[in-house]
Amino acid sequence: MAVDKLSYEIFSLLETKFLFGAGCLSSGPGTPARAFLDGCGRVRVLAIDGCGAGAEDALLAAAALARLEAGLRKQTGDTDARVADFFDVAAGAGAGGVLAAMLFLRGPDGRPRYSAQQALAFVAGSVGKKDWGGRRGRWAKLFRGGSRGGDRAFRRVFGDATLRDTVAPLLVPCYDLATAAPFVFSRADAVEGDAFDFRLRDVCSATCAAGGEPVAVRSVDGTTAIAAASAGVAAMGNPAAAAITHVLHNKQEFPLAAGVEDLLVLSIGSGASVPTSDGSRTPMPTRSPSPREVARVTAEGVADMVDESVAMAFGHACGSNYVRIKASKAPMALQAETAAAAAGAMLAQRNVESVLFRGRRLSERTNAEKVDALAAELVKEQERRRCSPLPNVAIKQVATPRLSSATTASSGTATARTASTMPSPASWDSRR
């Protein structure tokens, strides 16, 4: 999926909505067809931005998802509820791709393998309690192209699981240097054929390849080869537009999604930017930015542009159908002594959000308040779906499981190899 195509899709959506009205995208709010679709509920989409090489960059996403999961458990009374139980599709780039893959990985029992709290522990526990945001910890190794430490970490987390081994559709972008174009790893494509099925550990290595040599990735059957670089380079650091486009065009899995009114999107931005000073009154020495810093600033700018475009597409439904979370002031979080304190600081911030025909403004709610409100909405959607006359989601199942990989059967039962290669979260620290 090329960047040009993504841009065309999202801006065509905007143009159609503003020039011809919302009725051309879906049935009018007062029509029987619209009422019928409303009764079927909204397709729930999770999108996590690409993040940098520091643990603080991914901390906001991990902390927000852990808080969301805790809220879902409290409101439903289900102590084993997982984030993946309340979303129909997930998209993540860079560190966001790692988090999305962890939360949507199917375990041996057919349930999501990792909780959001375990994903947060993976991020926050990557470095010591002091200097938790340093660039020398295990988390930073994940973003070095061809890093042995990163490969070992992904192998411990995902084993031999592939894109087929997720509980719901998963989209993870990277940049293919061989074709000089973005490439999107997709579970929907993986189910269709082995040529598009990749091991999740390779998918994560591809989307996190921010430096060094490009990561060579091959499909499980060896027929598709990619020379991967970071998704941020591909101007797809914010995968929300890709996820929305996927849902609206994938009529096989999402037959009733006719427009943005039929979606409920949570988009989580990166937690911090590289600070320009150390927080003191004395500025840092002026120097020319490195190519990596320039690429990062560019990627963050593109991510904000995607957010503004998506917010405009949702129009007046933005805030209820489209929820955006992002840290606004990095230094506050970076000065915290522990990851827990930094996470709390970022969740307490109010981010800048786009408002239809009014530009941008500081949000009236904090990130934490947005997460809590979204938890209530997701529980309502779950209840609405149980009473729906028709299912609005029909996830593709694997007809003939591949015996040579960790792919599980469509019934949710696991092969012996899957069970043996699924690591325990307790082993992360002991096997560092």
Side-chain angles (χ1 to χ4, degrees), residues 91-106:
V98 178
L99 290 173
M102 287 185 67
L103 296 179
F104 279 70
L105 173 66
R106 184 194 298 119

Side-chain angles (χ1 to χ4, degrees), residues 161-211:
T162 72
L163 285 167
R164 293 181 179 179
D165 299 314
T166 55
V167 295
L170 176 68
L171 301 170
V172 180
C174 74
Y175 189 78
D176 183 11
L177 296 177
T179 59
F183 183 90
V184 179
F185 298 99
S186 170
R187 181 192 183 275
D189 294 334
V191 172
E192 296 295 331
D194 290 348
F196 295 100
D197 192 18
F198 295 81
R199 289 184 174 83
L200 287 175
R201 63 172 186 259
D202 294 335
V203 171
C204 292
S205 295
T207 195
C208 291

Side-chain angles (χ1 to χ4, degrees), residues 241-277:
I244 293 171
T245 302
H246 177 80
V247 171
L248 295 182
H249 286 222
N250 185 355
K251 295 305 180 183
Q252 182 175 348
E253 292 186 303
F254 309 103
L256 300 182
V260 294
E261 294 84 0
D262 303 314
L263 307 179
L264 175 58
V265 179
L266 169 61
S267 176
I268 306 178
S270 59
S273 298
V274 177
T276 56
S277 67

Side-chain angles (χ1 to χ4, degrees), residues 99-161:
L99 290 173
M102 287 185 67
L103 296 179
F104 279 70
L105 173 66
R106 184 194 298 119
D109 58 354
R111 296 274 297 137
R113 177 67 180 87
Y114 299 116
S115 67
Q117 188 62 42
Q118 289 170 332
L120 174 59
F122 179 74
V123 175
S126 298
V127 291
K129 293 182 179 180
K130 293 184 178 181
D131 189 31
W132 62 270
R135 307 283 172 172
R136 299 181 180 179
R138 180 181 62 187
W139 184 258
K141 294 179 182 178
L142 306 183
F143 295 85
R144 299 170 188 164
S147 168
R148 293 182 178 179
D151 292 342
R152 288 195 297 267
F154 289 143
R155 186 180 292 273
R156 286 196 295 269
V157 173
F158 298 106
D160 287 332

Side-chain angles (χ1 to χ4, degrees), residues 19 38 60 71 78 102 112 145 168 254 273 284 302 313 317 333 349 395:
L19 293 182
D38 288 341
L60 173 64
D78 182 1
M102 287 185 67
F254 309 103
S273 298
M284 295 179 64
V302 172
Q349 292 177 358
I395 304 303

